Amino acid sequence: MGTTINGVVTSEDVDYYAVNLNPGDRVAVEVEALRLGGALFDPKLRLFGPEGHERVSEDDTQLFRQDAGFVYTSTETGKHLIAVSEAAYRGGGNYYYRLHVGQFPRPLAVTPMGGVPGSEVQVTWLGDEGAGTQAITVPAETDGVIELAAQTETGIAPTTIPFRATPFGGVQEVEPNNGRDQATPGAITGAFDGVIGEPGDTDFFQFEGKKDQVVEFRVWARALGSPLDSVLVVYKPDGSGLGSDDDAAAVDSKVRVTLPEDGVYTLSVRDHLRRGGATFAYRVEASTVTPSLKMSFLENRPVSLVIPKNN
């Protein structure tokens, strides 16, 4: 426990590591393989109990892409085995990996997924019940996506989680908000954060709008490591649809609407396949659009490109 192991998976190889656990003991495991930039190594992690029964089998995670990670709380006393292999039992001399084993926090998402630069934000780590909450200060001179590392008294996560640093002050969903009549109130310009916590869940928010306002809504989910494939819908004050989108921002959603009247509008977020779970976090950023013109001179600038040897 509390170590990082460097290893290589050769053809049809499986590497085993043993840790002794008692009931209630927690172990966090994460592997870096594809992210190391060597071979196209798609690793798989498994954990076996003292009697040889498979307790965990983890292949891909949205946060780590093809790499894997998990947190397990033991119910048995004795030697537990952690197995590292290639997902299709391939391998080779350049299938390198780094395996982290310990009690460090290993969340797979965070909510809220953004905050205002210079402010303190109380975030909740998702996907690891032992990680809990943490107060973080968003660096003042930042804009766009930054990286947060979950940290508790048991350690610090080996991999960071993306987080939006933007001027959009936001609201966190208040459950129940599964219908227009239960919508969590927010504002534009602003942000709406939440989690599609279970299959079939749909979250609703409401905001005051003025006639002829042009508003752009952008969902941040998959781009920040969430497994959510968002569908965004904006509704008029009478409940009829005003605009919707599925994949305009890659897998995330983006839609621009012109508000037809003064009133209270609502928006909803759900998963495209009606999935849900503890790590299905999202952030909707809503900003009013103001026409502008930007001009510049064409310039010829020198460009250099460095290519590593043999690439």
Side-chain angles (χ1 to χ4, degrees):
M1 298 289 280
T3 59
T4 294
I5 304 121
N6 294 284
V8 181
V9 167
T10 56
S11 180
E12 299 185 0
D13 187 19
V14 181
D15 290 349
Y16 290 92
Y17 301 94
V19 291
N20 288 312
L21 300 174
N22 294 312
D25 285 351
R26 172 184 171 280
V27 59
V29 182
E30 179 185 333
V31 64
E32 297 175 82
L34 189 65
R35 290 175 289 169
L36 296 181
L40 294 177
F41 179 5
D42 180 8
K44 183 174 183 177
L45 292 177
R46 290 171 293 163
L47 183 139
F48 298 89
E51 301 300 322
H53 300 129
E54 184 178 272
R55 299 305 185 195
V56 179
S57 178
E58 189 69 58
D59 186 355
D60 301 336
T61 56
Q62 190 59 47
L63 181 62
F64 310 141
R65 307 300 183 184
Q66 270 66 41
D67 291 343
F70 65 84
V71 176
Y72 175 74
T73 300
S74 175
T75 59
E76 303 163 281
T77 298
K79 184 171 69 174
H80 292 63
L81 296 181
I82 299 165
V84 182
S85 63
E86 205 276 338
Y89 289 99
R90 296 176 299 177
N94 61 344
Y95 279 58
Y96 300 104
Y97 66 85
R98 289 168 58 81
L99 180 70
H100 308 283
V101 180
Q103 294 181 324
F104 52 83
R106 184 53 283 160
L108 298 176
V110 66
T111 189
M113 302 185 88
V116 177
S119 68
E120 183 176 276
V121 181
Q122 190 76 19
V123 300
T124 300
W125 301 113
L126 306 174
D128 179 358
E129 294 181 357
T133 63
Q134 183 179 341
I136 62 103
T137 299
V138 185
E141 301 299 324
T142 56
D143 182 34
V145 178
I146 63 174
E147 300 290 332
L148 299 183
Q151 187 168 5
T152 65
E153 67 277 1
T154 62
I156 186 169
T159 298
T160 56
I161 291 179
F163 184 85
R164 292 274 297 165
T166 70
F168 300 114
V171 296
Q172 188 79 29
E173 67 164 321
V174 178
E175 292 284 5
N177 65 335
N178 301 327
R180 291 182 60 250
D181 59 334
Q182 301 173 318
T184 299
I188 54 171
T189 300
F192 309 86
D193 280 277
V195 181
I196 302 300
E198 58 187 22
D201 187 18
T202 300
D203 290 345
F204 284 82
F205 299 87
Q206 67 181 31
F207 60 91
E208 291 276 353
K210 299 293 184 182
K211 183 179 180 179
D212 295 330
Q213 275 185 312
V214 181
V215 188
E216 185 169 277
F217 299 87
R218 165 68 153 94
V219 176
W220 293 89
R222 193 65 68 88
L224 300 180
S226 169
L228 177 70
D229 179 3
S230 64
V231 174
L232 174 69
V233 183
V234 182
Y235 303 89
K236 297 176 184 178
D238 64 4
S240 60
L242 178 60
S244 63
D245 181 66
D246 183 5
D247 295 334
V251 183
D252 291 333
S253 307
K254 184 177 181 180
V255 65
R256 180 179 292 191
V257 298
T258 300
L259 305 186
E261 60 184 300
D262 293 353
V264 177
Y265 292 77
T266 54
L267 65 91
S268 68
V269 180
R270 64 172 175 85
D271 183 78
H272 175 69
L273 297 178
R274 298 288 183 177
R275 301 174 305 151
T279 62
F280 281 61
Y282 62 87
R283 178 177 175 87
V284 183
E285 293 181 353
S287 59
T288 54
V289 179
T290 303
S292 63
L293 177 66
K294 183 178 181 180
M295 301 180 67
S296 63
F297 290 106
L298 292 175
E299 296 182 60
N300 288 322
R301 299 181 180 179
V303 175
S304 63
L305 178 65
V306 178
I307 302 177
K309 183 178 179 180
N310 297 327
N311 279 11

